[in-house]
Amino acid sequence: MSAPTDGPRVTVVMSTHRVSPYLAEALQSLKDQSFTDWRLIVMDNGSPDPDGVRQAASAVPGAVVVREAGHVVSVPLNHGAALARGEYVTFLDDDDVWLPDRLQALVDVLDADPEAGAAYSSIDAIDAQGERRGPHYVAAGESARDLLAGRYPFPNVVSMLYRRTALLRVGGFNPAFRYAEDTDLTFRLLQYSRLVGVPEVLTLYRRHEQNVTKVLATDLHDASRRMIGMQLWGAEHHPDPHVLADVRANLAALDARDAADSVGEGLARLRHGRVPGAARMLGRAVRLDARAAARETARRVRHRLGRG
C-alpha cells in the first residue's frame, strides 16, 4: 500500500540549532526555486533563540516550525521526514545554497524513473562569503553497484531528493551514529533501490569555520567501519548475492583509505618527534591493509625525494 500524498509534492526539511548567519540566504534560495510545489518544515533542534528561528522561517510562506529538545541531527531530520505527505523529501542545511533549478531537475529525474529511490547532483563548495571554491562532489554516471562497492564516493545528502516511500522503507537516518549517519542511510537505500545522478551542479555546499568538524580521520574511519559492519549483517541475508560482495568490497576500500591516512598521520607524528604515536599509527596502517600502507609509504618517500 502506498503512503498518502495529500500535500505539496516536495517536502523540504531543515534542521537547525541556531540562527545561522547564512540562514536567510539558504531560505531565499528555496524561495527562488523554479519548481514551486513544495512545503518547508524547519526543525528547531534546541536552538537558544527559538523566536529568531521562527522569525527567519516566517519569510517563507507556509513554513512550519517544530521545536525539538535538542538531539543528534538524525532525530529532527527523521521527525521532519515523518511529517511529510508528498512524494519527495529533501534536506536543506541552514548554511547551504540551492541553485534555482535544483528541485525541478531532480523531480524530473524521479518522475521519469519510478524505480529510482533518490536523485542527486554534483555540488560545488562555497566559502563564508559565498564565493565558489571548486567541486565538492562530482556525479560522474556511476552505477548503484559502483557506489555500493566503494568504487565511487557516495553522494552527499545535501544534494539528494528522496522518494518518500523509499526513505520510509529503509527507516531514515540511524540516530545511533554520531558520524556517517548519511552514509549509513545511503548504504541501506542502495541495497533496495537505484540512485540516479545529475551531472549539473545544483547545490552549493558552504565551508566555514563553524561547520568544519574537528575530528580525526581515524575516528571517522572507525565510525564508518562499525556502520559497514552493520551493513554486512543485512547484506548476508539479501536475496541478491552481489550486494554482499559489494559491501565487502566497500569495507576493503575503506581499510585501504584508512591505511593510507594512517601512514600520513604516522609520518607527520614522526617528523614532530612523537615516536610512540607514530608507531601506533603506522602499526594501525599495517593491520588494516599492509599493501596499501606500503604503497602510501613508497609514494610519500618518492614525493619527498622528488622535492629534494
Side-chain angles (χ1 to χ4, degrees), residues 14-287:
M14 173 185 284
S15 175
T16 186
H17 62 278
R18 59 183 175 165
V19 179
S20 163
Y22 314 104
L23 178 57
E25 186 179 1
L27 294 175
Q28 185 62 48
S29 75
L30 171 60
K31 292 169 63 179
D32 289 342
Q33 291 297 298
S34 58
F35 180 89
T36 59
D37 192 12
W38 50 262
R39 177 178 70 149
L40 173 66
I41 299 177
V42 177
M43 306 302 299
D44 179 350
N45 192 26
S47 74
D49 184 11
D51 290 338
V53 171
R54 284 193 294 272
Q55 181 177 359
S58 68
V60 179
V64 176
V65 179
V66 179
R67 176 77 170 169
E68 293 271 7
H71 305 279
V72 294
V73 69
S74 296
V75 173
L77 292 180
N78 284 341
H79 187 183
L83 297 173
R85 290 295 179 268
E87 294 170 75
Y88 303 126
V89 177
T90 190
F91 301 101
L92 172 61
D93 280 1
D94 64 5
D95 50 7
D96 291 344
V97 174
W98 288 355
L99 297 185
D101 290 332
R102 179 192 188 271
L103 287 180
Q104 186 67 67
L106 297 179
V107 166
D108 286 347
V109 167
L110 292 183
D111 282 350
D113 190 347
E115 299 302 314
Y120 60 94
S121 74
S122 297
I123 306 170
D124 273 359
I126 56 175
D127 61 18
Q129 287 71 44
E131 296 294 325
R132 292 207 193 189
R133 295 301 181 186
H136 178 71
Y137 180 86
V138 177
E142 55 280 347
S143 69
R145 288 202 61 190
D146 287 333
L147 293 169
L148 197 59
R151 291 187 286 269
Y152 287 84
F154 279 5
N156 194 306
V157 66
V158 303
S159 77
M160 297 182 75
L161 177 71
Y162 297 90
R163 194 177 301 278
R164 186 168 64 92
T165 51
L167 189 62
L168 292 172
R169 182 182 187 187
V170 299
F173 297 95
N174 187 342
F177 291 108
R178 183 180 177 189
Y179 310 120
E181 71 283 346
D182 53 345
T183 304
D184 170 73
L185 171 60
T186 303
F187 248 121
R188 286 180 278 118
L189 196 64
L190 282 167
Q191 294 178 47
Y192 294 99
S193 61
R194 186 169 61 257
L195 274 62
V196 182
V198 176
E200 289 80 13
V201 173
L202 298 174
T203 296
L204 304 179
Y205 173 74
R206 194 183 303 271
R207 298 186 63 85
H208 53 90
E209 290 185 0
Q210 291 153 325
N211 78 344
V212 175
T213 303
K214 305 232 175 2
V215 60
L216 289 174
T218 51
D219 291 338
L220 291 174
H221 284 307
D222 286 344
S224 296
R225 191 169 291 105
R226 289 192 296 272
M227 178 268 298
I228 296 178
M230 295 176 65
Q231 304 300 328
L232 279 171
W233 182 89
E236 287 172 353
H237 299 83
H238 199 284
D240 182 354
H242 290 110
V243 169
L244 178 58
D246 288 342
V247 175
R248 284 175 171 165
N250 200 304
L251 180 58
L254 172 68
D255 284 346
R257 292 194 301 272
D258 191 351
D261 288 345
S262 295
V263 165
E265 179 65 22
L267 294 178
R269 293 183 184 188
L270 191 61
R271 287 195 296 272
H272 288 88
R274 297 159 59 190
V275 177
R280 285 195 299 273
M281 296 305 298
L282 295 173
R284 172 190 174 96
V286 172
R287 287 193 304 275

Side-chain angles (χ1 to χ4, degrees), residues 287-298:
R287 287 193 304 275
L288 288 167
D289 189 325
R291 291 183 179 180
R295 287 195 300 269
E296 181 64 12
T297 302

